[in-house]
Amino acid sequence: MNVATHATKPGYPLEFPKNQWYVAGHAEDFGCDLKSRWILGEPICFYRTQDNTAVALADRCIHRQMPLSKGFLQGDNVRCSYHGILYANDGRAVEIPSQSSIPEKCRVHRYPLVESGGLLWIWMGEENAADKSMIPGHPWLDDPKWKVVRGTLHMKARAQLLNENLLDLSHLSYLHPGSIGSDDVVSAPTSMEFDERSVRVTRDMNNAISPPMFIRAMGLDGRIDRHQVAEFIAPGFHITHLDAKATGQAGAQVFSHKAIHCITPERAHSAHYFWAITRNYRTEDEEVSRLWREGAPRVFTEDIDASEAIEEIITAYEPGYPPELDLKVDGGSLRARRIIERLIAQERRA
Amino acid sequence: MNVATHATKPGYPLEFPKNQWYVAGHAEDFGCDLKSRWILGEPICFYRTQDNTAVALADRCIHRQMPLSKGFLQGDNVRCSYHGILYANDGRAVEIPSQSSIPEKCRVHRYPLVESGGLLWIWMGEENAADKSMIPGHPWLDDPKWKVVRGTLHMKARAQLLNENLLDLSHLSYLHPGSIGSDDVVSAPTSMEFDERSVRVTRDMNNAISPPMFIRAMGLDGRIDRHQVAEFIAPGFHITHLDAKATGQAGAQVFSHKAIHCITPERAHSAHYFWAITRNYRTEDEEVSRLWREGAPRVFTEDIDASEAIEEIITAYEPGYPPELDLKVDGGSLRARRIIERLIAQERRA
Amino acid sequence: MNVATHATKPGYPLEFPKNQWYVAGHAEDFGCDLKSRWILGEPICFYRTQDNTAVALADRCIHRQMPLSKGFLQGDNVRCSYHGILYANDGRAVEIPSQSSIPEKCRVHRYPLVESGGLLWIWMGEENAADKSMIPGHPWLDDPKWKVVRGTLHMKARAQLLNENLLDLSHLSYLHPGSIGSDDVVSAPTSMEFDERSVRVTRDMNNAISPPMFIRAMGLDGRIDRHQVAEFIAPGFHITHLDAKATGQAGAQVFSHKAIHCITPERAHSAHYFWAITRNYRTEDEEVSRLWREGAPRVFTEDIDASEAIEEIITAYEPGYPPELDLKVDGGSLRARRIIERLIAQERRA
């Protein structure tokens, strides 16, 4: 029997739940001009009002689907460039140049937004259900004791590939040997915890090899004790907690990092990747900041390249799916997959 | 409820009726060589015989689908470049080099053509139904008292987007402010007439602002009286009747134009845009001709850009359709849409 | 009735049988590094072991679909670059770095291969059914009395277009007049033989025109006797037997060639074209070798161009198919089409 022809299970999902907060970008990405960004297959027009409040409107005029982002700002309102309808920042039309009356239905969806931690969070579902307490905690992004460097990447593959990549860090040994991986990561024992919407995979490595990026950024050129937790909060927020210190030295400095990965589906087969690396050491040292600002995207691009290669394979088998074997190390990733599937199923029932 | 997820109506049609005359191009586009052009999703091979008669044959050899346009002319016949079948200009094979008998079925469809007004008209449906009297009148294109300038554009969007664009000229104020639009176009009162296959939207503007193109081409640098009729004759022929004169001057010269727009579907998501601007003033003035020859495609490209932006949006929602709100000014456009839908429905029944 | 809208028969198949030998490439294409090639819509990772044995494994790790060809060789084993699974050359995992046990199912399909005639043959179906005796004979490729020149082309069209092209050589007169075709090829009488899996079309031309390539390579600048057999062995191996000699000269030298064409579907709408020209004359003459090495791909590219033009046409009519008329000369091609269809039907039943 040719194994190549039989699908055994559904595989990486293409769909994502809507009643969730997604990161729409870094706060600094948005200014007093119109910017189009697609999220979960919807075109969205972003801008800031004169008092600096971020606004997100459906990026298609309710009249004839013209992207509002092709229009222009008039004060805090957006003028469509096709027939001139003027929308206020709550999405309601306030002027229709060709007629005096404004129908109640002449409005575009306004997406709830929250700005926090230097990130802009967007709610893609029913407005009434938007609950700010659902936004994952991210104290390090606002804390002056932690230095933050940031960046944005884009991936031509389904978002879930990165969600699962980030929960199985055994790949560090093979995909990132030149930076943050070493031979002993893959074999380190792990433990997993989860709840309704989050997963944590812990990996402790004592007396471990110090990988190249640790030597450069932390000066750890001997054996190290490395403590790593991969934390996922649905639908796409990741915190990689990483502590490292020199092995066997009582009271040695602990170098702590929180690597933040915000994986936001753009369309079914593409995703935004907004990242931030925070650290609690040498926070004023621009050389260390530069190492992370330049080094992190090189590492993450290796993950994107792998994901895009996998996307090409699985797309070729659609609508089927090639056979796939789960390993013990996949417990965290599969738990995250189940959470996404359950959230989608809940929305379908509702 | 997220407004983004609910389709409310069918929206711009993708399909077009076949038993209709479409403009295949400007007469001057076709010479004594083979030219391929797709219309309504069909590949067509055009050429002229030695007596200058235009010919349109299905651009796929009946034997093995080779485009005849890749072959060569032998006198008035076309030789397929694959296995050498020779077709006469009525579509019948007159030679099959590999055999002596020629089956009756060895022929390709010959499309009825009419050359008139410097345009080549093609009938895409049943040959017997081709009725020349259905070709819309276009006297200005043949009248020496009118000067004609012409051109061709292409659009990567469904044809109906332009058909509706041309019937709601309230967009001039916003999409074309640098050329033919002014602030007062959008608010001018309109009236609409229609019959089984045509729509006319009239817009009168007295004591109006003279837009930049009018100042340059007509020298109208004060207030103007502007009379405009957007006329659509199904399935894709438009005449924009435009008269302008200086306001309040008894006996002032009336500058008349007939802007001809021939919107021909190429494939489902693309269209040909053959245009001509005719005028009855300074007909010998090459500078005015140049203004229109260069200025008109700049204006029409703004319409194409808008249509392509809209196409990207609505394609992303297929097979659904995002919600859309009709305004009072859409009466003419929607009437045209209804005409196309009715013509398609009639053909399906037949 | 518009002939353009009615499909009359299924046309060129898109699918191919799996329980068959296909040529995966020239033996010299594969070395001690990982090479990805898609065949019949499946990604395959090729390499050679240290004893030079060719290996073909499914090019997607059974764990998470990562292409193995992005990994690296360790001796005769392949290490996946994502999570480090190490596969032996029989497709079985021999190491899973993140766990000590190796599940029986942790393996990828290993495709049976045979290296012969400077070609690498791959079996795409059930391993147990792989019968080496099904490989078509090709003695000239291994015989020092025959000189071989080789090359590889790629086509963005379904493979069957070339299979049928090669069985109806009446196209030589029109598609290849500058090289191997002459006016009298098309009208020469043919005869056809076939069995369960092969087709032979014989064409004898006495006192025929010598085409340009024959003059250059063989020095035949007068009339020639040309004997040509187009032989197809399913699913995609062709031998064009070509003998030429000067007409009317008793005992004149016979210039013999076997043109080998290996048409291997890559994906549904693309194909590999591995070719070899063998000849039994002036085998040491590098100038003649150069003529064929450079001239053959020029000829075959004309076939590819025609096939790609046809592919564009028939794809536009999918899921229907435009009408098509068979001629007498198509007997061989249609027989090959029937063989492919029958092989697919047999596999579906099984």
Side-chain angles (χ1 to χ4, degrees):
Chain A
M1 171 71 85
N2 181 353
V3 298
T5 55
H6 282 71
T8 54
K9 55 173 190 155
Y12 302 104
L14 274 173
E15 223 182 318
F16 274 79
K18 293 195 146 207
N19 281 314
Q20 296 291 334
W21 293 102
Y22 289 85
V23 171
H26 297 291
E28 67 195 24
D29 295 347
F30 305 98
C32 289
D33 53 348
L34 302 173
K35 181 188 197 81
S36 178
R37 190 166 274 172
W38 289 67
I39 296 179
L40 261 69
E42 297 182 18
I44 303 173
C45 175
F46 292 91
Y47 66 99
R48 288 185 185 279
T49 57
Q50 286 161 312
D51 70 358
N52 213 37
T53 306
V55 177
L57 302 179
D59 195 17
R60 26 181 205 82
C61 180
I62 189 64
H63 172 224
R64 283 296 178 265
Q65 317 292 355
M66 183 71 178
L68 296 183
S69 57
K70 304 261 184 193
F72 44 94
L73 272 174
Q74 287 191 334
D76 290 350
N77 299 334
V78 184
R79 176 80 74 183
C80 178
S81 64
Y82 200 0
H83 302 92
I85 297 175
L86 188 68
Y87 293 95
N89 60 9
D90 64 357
R92 291 183 184 277
V94 292
E95 186 192 340
I96 302 177
S98 63
Q99 69 185 53
S100 52
S101 65
I102 301 178
E104 170 63 22
K105 288 187 173 176
C106 197
R107 58 187 176 88
V108 294
H109 184 67
R110 194 232 1 218
Y111 294 84
L113 294 178
V114 169
E115 198 167 336
S116 176
L119 297 171
L120 190 65
W121 302 77
I122 189 166
W123 178 261
M124 296 299 295
E126 294 178 43
E127 192 158 358
N128 294 335
D131 175 358
K132 292 184 187 181
S133 73
M134 287 170 67
I135 294 177
H138 48 270
W140 323 278
L141 291 174
D142 286 317
D143 184 337
K145 291 198 295 293
W146 292 76
K147 173 65 183 177
V148 186
V149 297
R150 299 167 178 279
T152 299
L153 296 164
H154 183 267
M155 178 172 78
K156 289 182 183 163
R158 64 197 72 190
Q160 186 65 9
L161 283 159
L162 277 181
N163 284 337
E164 301 194 15
N165 165 295
L166 287 160
L167 279 166
D168 176 11
L169 298 180
S170 74
H171 76 262
L172 266 56
S173 304
Y174 300 98
L175 205 55
H176 311 306
S179 53
I180 59 171
S182 60
D183 282 354
D184 40 17
V185 175
V186 68
S187 52
T190 64
S191 63
M192 198 255 288
E193 304 156 274
F194 64 92
D195 62 22
E196 287 285 291
R197 60 188 291 256
S198 71
V199 180
R200 288 169 59 93
V201 179
T202 300
R203 186 179 294 261
D204 281 313
M205 294 160 275
N206 290 321
N207 195 23
I209 301 164
S210 185
M213 192 74 180
F214 287 34
I215 299 173
R216 291 198 295 273
M218 295 160 243
L220 291 169
D221 50 8
R223 305 296 289 192
I224 59 170
D225 293 345
R226 177 174 180 176
H227 177 73
Q228 196 160 295
V229 181
E231 181 175 10
F232 165 73
I233 300 129
F237 191 74
H238 298 258
I239 308 157
T240 313
H241 307 260
L242 168 61
D243 293 343
K245 69 179 181 67
T247 295
Q249 297 178 18
Q253 182 181 1
V254 177
F255 296 88
S256 290
H257 313 71
K258 310 290 174 184
I260 308 293
H261 317 263
C262 311
I263 310 301
T264 302
E266 182 189 46
R267 307 198 192 199
H269 295 272
S270 61
H272 306 285
Y273 187 166
F274 308 109
W275 61 267
I277 305 278
T278 73
R279 68 180 195 274
N280 75 345
Y281 60 93
R282 293 168 69 186
T283 54
E284 303 299 310
D285 188 332
E286 175 52 27
E287 176 58 16
V288 177
S289 294
R290 191 187 60 77
L291 278 171
W292 283 113
R293 193 180 298 112
E294 296 178 2
R298 272 200 290 269
V299 175
F300 304 155
T301 296
E302 291 168 337
D303 297 306
I304 289 172
D305 289 348
S307 299
E308 292 181 346
I310 292 169
E311 181 71 37
E312 190 198 344
I313 299 286
I314 56 184
T315 301
Y317 285 80
E318 287 178 347
Y321 195 82
E324 198 165 275
L325 180 74
D326 300 328
L327 300 177
K328 290 172 187 167
V329 82
D330 293 316
S333 301
L334 289 173
R335 182 56 56 185
R337 201 186 286 189
R338 295 293 99 78
I339 290 172
I340 298 294
E341 290 168 348
R342 186 176 44 75
L343 291 171
I344 291 168
Q346 278 173 1
E347 291 194 357
R348 285 215 183 111
R349 277 196 301 275
Chain B
M1 173 69 89
N2 182 353
V3 298
T5 56
H6 283 70
T8 54
K9 54 173 191 152
Y12 302 103
L14 275 173
E15 221 182 320
F16 274 79
K18 294 197 146 205
N19 281 315
Q20 297 290 335
W21 293 101
Y22 289 86
V23 171
H26 298 290
E28 66 195 24
D29 296 348
F30 306 98
C32 289
D33 53 349
L34 301 173
K35 182 188 196 79
S36 178
R37 190 165 274 172
W38 288 67
I39 296 178
L40 262 69
E42 298 181 18
I44 303 173
C45 174
F46 292 91
Y47 65 99
R48 287 185 185 279
T49 57
Q50 286 160 311
D51 69 358
N52 212 37
T53 306
V55 178
L57 302 179
D59 194 16
R60 25 180 207 83
C61 179
I62 190 64
H63 172 226
R64 284 295 179 265
Q65 317 293 354
M66 184 70 177
L68 296 183
S69 57
K70 304 262 184 193
F72 44 95
L73 272 174
Q74 288 192 334
D76 290 349
N77 299 334
V78 183
R79 176 81 72 182
C80 179
S81 63
Y82 201 0
H83 302 93
I85 297 176
L86 188 68
Y87 292 94
N89 60 8
D90 64 357
R92 292 183 183 277
V94 292
E95 186 192 342
I96 302 178
S98 61
Q99 67 185 57
S100 53
S101 65
I102 300 178
E104 170 63 23
K105 288 187 174 178
C106 197
R107 58 189 176 88
V108 295
H109 184 68
R110 193 231 2 216
Y111 295 83
L113 293 178
V114 169
E115 197 166 338
S116 176
L119 297 172
L120 189 65
W121 303 77
I122 189 167
W123 179 261
M124 297 298 295
E126 293 177 42
E127 193 158 357
N128 293 337
D131 174 357
K132 293 185 187 180
S133 74
M134 287 170 67
I135 293 177
H138 47 269
W140 322 278
L141 292 173
D142 287 316
D143 184 339
K145 291 198 295 293
W146 293 76
K147 173 66 183 177
V148 186
V149 297
R150 299 166 178 278
T152 299
L153 295 163
H154 184 266
M155 178 173 77
K156 291 181 182 164
R158 63 196 73 190
Q160 186 65 9
L161 283 159
L162 278 180
N163 283 338
E164 300 194 15
N165 165 295
L166 288 160
L167 278 167
D168 176 11
L169 297 179
S170 75
H171 77 261
L172 266 55
S173 303
Y174 299 98
L175 204 55
H176 311 306
S179 53
I180 60 171
S182 60
D183 282 354
D184 40 16
V185 175
V186 68
S187 52
T190 63
S191 63
M192 198 255 287
E193 305 156 273
F194 64 92
D195 61 22
E196 287 285 291
R197 60 188 292 255
S198 70
V199 181
R200 288 169 59 95
V201 179
T202 301
R203 185 178 294 261
D204 281 313
M205 293 159 275
N206 290 321
N207 195 23
I209 299 163
S210 184
M213 193 74 179
F214 287 35
I215 298 173
R216 291 197 294 274
M218 296 160 244
L220 291 169
D221 52 7
R223 306 295 288 191
I224 59 171
D225 294 344
R226 177 174 180 177
H227 177 74
Q228 197 161 295
V229 181
E231 181 174 9
F232 165 74
I233 301 128
F237 191 74
H238 298 258
I239 309 158
T240 313
H241 307 260
L242 167 62
D243 292 343
K245 68 179 182 67
T247 296
Q249 296 179 18
Q253 182 182 2
V254 177
F255 296 87
S256 291
H257 314 71
K258 309 291 174 184
I260 309 292
H261 316 263
C262 311
I263 311 301
T264 302
E266 183 191 45
R267 307 197 191 199
H269 295 271
S270 61
H272 305 285
Y273 187 165
F274 308 109
W275 62 267
I277 306 277
T278 73
R279 68 180 194 274
N280 74 346
Y281 61 93
R282 294 167 67 186
T283 54
E284 303 298 310
D285 188 331
E286 176 51 28
E287 176 58 17
V288 177
S289 293
R290 191 187 61 76
L291 278 170
W292 284 113
R293 193 180 297 114
E294 296 177 1
R298 272 199 291 269
V299 174
F300 304 155
T301 297
E302 292 168 336
D303 297 306
I304 288 172
D305 289 348
S307 300
E308 292 181 346
I310 292 169
E311 181 70 37
E312 190 198 344
I313 299 286
I314 57 185
T315 301
Y317 285 81
E318 286 177 348
Y321 195 83
E324 198 165 275
L325 181 74
D326 300 328
L327 299 178
K328 290 172 186 166
V329 81
D330 293 315
S333 301
L334 289 172
R335 181 55 55 185
R337 200 185 288 189
R338 295 295 99 79
I339 290 172
I340 298 295
E341 290 167 348
R342 186 175 45 73
L343 291 171
I344 292 169
Q346 278 173 1
E347 290 194 356
R348 285 214 183 112
R349 277 196 302 274
Chain C
M1 172 69 90
N2 181 353
V3 298
T5 55
H6 284 70
T8 54
K9 55 170 189 157
Y12 301 104
L14 274 173
E15 222 182 319
F16 274 80
K18 293 195 146 206
N19 280 316
Q20 296 291 334
W21 292 102
Y22 289 86
V23 171
H26 298 290
E28 67 196 22
D29 295 347
F30 305 98
C32 289
D33 53 348
L34 302 173
K35 182 188 196 80
S36 179
R37 189 165 274 172
W38 288 67
I39 295 178
L40 263 69
E42 298 182 18
I44 304 174
C45 175
F46 291 91
Y47 67 99
R48 287 185 185 279
T49 57
Q50 286 161 311
D51 70 357
N52 212 36
T53 307
V55 178
L57 301 179
D59 195 17
R60 26 180 205 83
C61 180
I62 190 63
H63 173 224
R64 284 297 178 262
Q65 317 292 354
M66 184 72 178
L68 296 183
S69 57
K70 303 264 182 191
F72 43 95
L73 272 174
Q74 288 191 333
D76 289 349
N77 299 334
V78 183
R79 175 81 73 183
C80 179
S81 64
Y82 201 178
H83 301 93
I85 298 175
L86 188 69
Y87 292 94
N89 60 9
D90 64 356
R92 293 184 183 275
V94 291
E95 185 193 341
I96 303 177
S98 62
Q99 68 185 55
S100 52
S101 65
I102 300 178
E104 169 64 22
K105 288 186 174 177
C106 197
R107 58 187 176 88
V108 295
H109 184 67
R110 193 230 3 216
Y111 295 84
L113 293 178
V114 170
E115 198 167 336
S116 176
L119 298 171
L120 189 65
W121 302 76
I122 188 166
W123 179 262
M124 296 300 294
E126 294 177 43
E127 193 157 357
N128 294 336
D131 174 359
K132 292 184 187 182
S133 75
M134 287 170 67
I135 294 178
H138 48 270
W140 323 278
L141 292 174
D142 287 316
D143 184 337
K145 291 198 296 292
W146 292 77
K147 172 67 183 176
V148 186
V149 297
R150 299 168 178 277
T152 299
L153 295 163
H154 183 266
M155 177 172 78
K156 291 181 182 162
R158 65 196 71 189
Q160 185 64 10
L161 283 159
L162 278 180
N163 283 337
E164 300 195 14
N165 166 296
L166 288 160
L167 279 166
D168 176 10
L169 297 179
S170 75
H171 76 261
L172 266 55
S173 303
Y174 299 96
L175 205 55
H176 311 306
S179 52
I180 59 171
S182 61
D183 281 354
D184 40 17
V185 175
V186 68
S187 52
T190 64
S191 62
M192 198 256 287
E193 305 156 273
F194 64 91
D195 61 22
E196 287 286 291
R197 59 188 292 256
S198 72
V199 180
R200 288 169 59 94
V201 179
T202 302
R203 187 179 294 262
D204 282 312
M205 293 159 275
N206 291 321
N207 195 26
I209 300 164
S210 184
M213 192 75 180
F214 287 35
I215 298 173
R216 290 197 294 274
M218 296 160 244
L220 291 168
D221 51 7
R223 306 294 288 192
I224 59 172
D225 293 345
R226 176 174 181 176
H227 177 72
Q228 196 160 295
V229 182
E231 181 173 10
F232 165 74
I233 300 129
F237 192 73
H238 298 258
I239 308 158
T240 313
H241 307 259
L242 168 61
D243 293 343
K245 66 179 183 67
T247 296
Q249 298 177 16
Q253 180 181 4
V254 177
F255 297 87
S256 290
H257 313 71
K258 309 291 173 182
I260 308 292
H261 316 263
C262 312
I263 311 301
T264 302
E266 183 191 46
R267 305 197 192 201
H269 296 271
S270 61
H272 306 285
Y273 188 165
F274 308 108
W275 60 268
I277 306 277
T278 73
R279 68 179 195 274
N280 74 345
Y281 59 93
R282 294 168 68 186
T283 54
E284 303 299 310
D285 188 332
E286 175 52 27
E287 176 59 16
V288 177
S289 293
R290 192 187 61 76
L291 278 171
W292 283 113
R293 193 180 297 113
E294 297 177 3
R298 271 200 292 270
V299 174
F300 303 155
T301 296
E302 292 168 337
D303 297 306
I304 289 173
D305 289 348
S307 299
E308 292 181 347
I310 292 170
E311 180 70 38
E312 190 198 344
I313 299 287
I314 56 183
T315 301
Y317 286 80
E318 286 179 346
Y321 195 84
E324 198 165 274
L325 181 74
D326 300 328
L327 300 178
K328 290 172 186 166
V329 81
D330 293 314
S333 302
L334 289 173
R335 181 56 56 186
R337 199 186 288 189
R338 294 294 99 79
I339 290 172
I340 298 295
E341 290 167 349
R342 186 177 44 72
L343 291 171
I344 291 169
Q346 278 173 0
E347 291 195 356
R348 284 217 184 109
R349 275 196 302 275

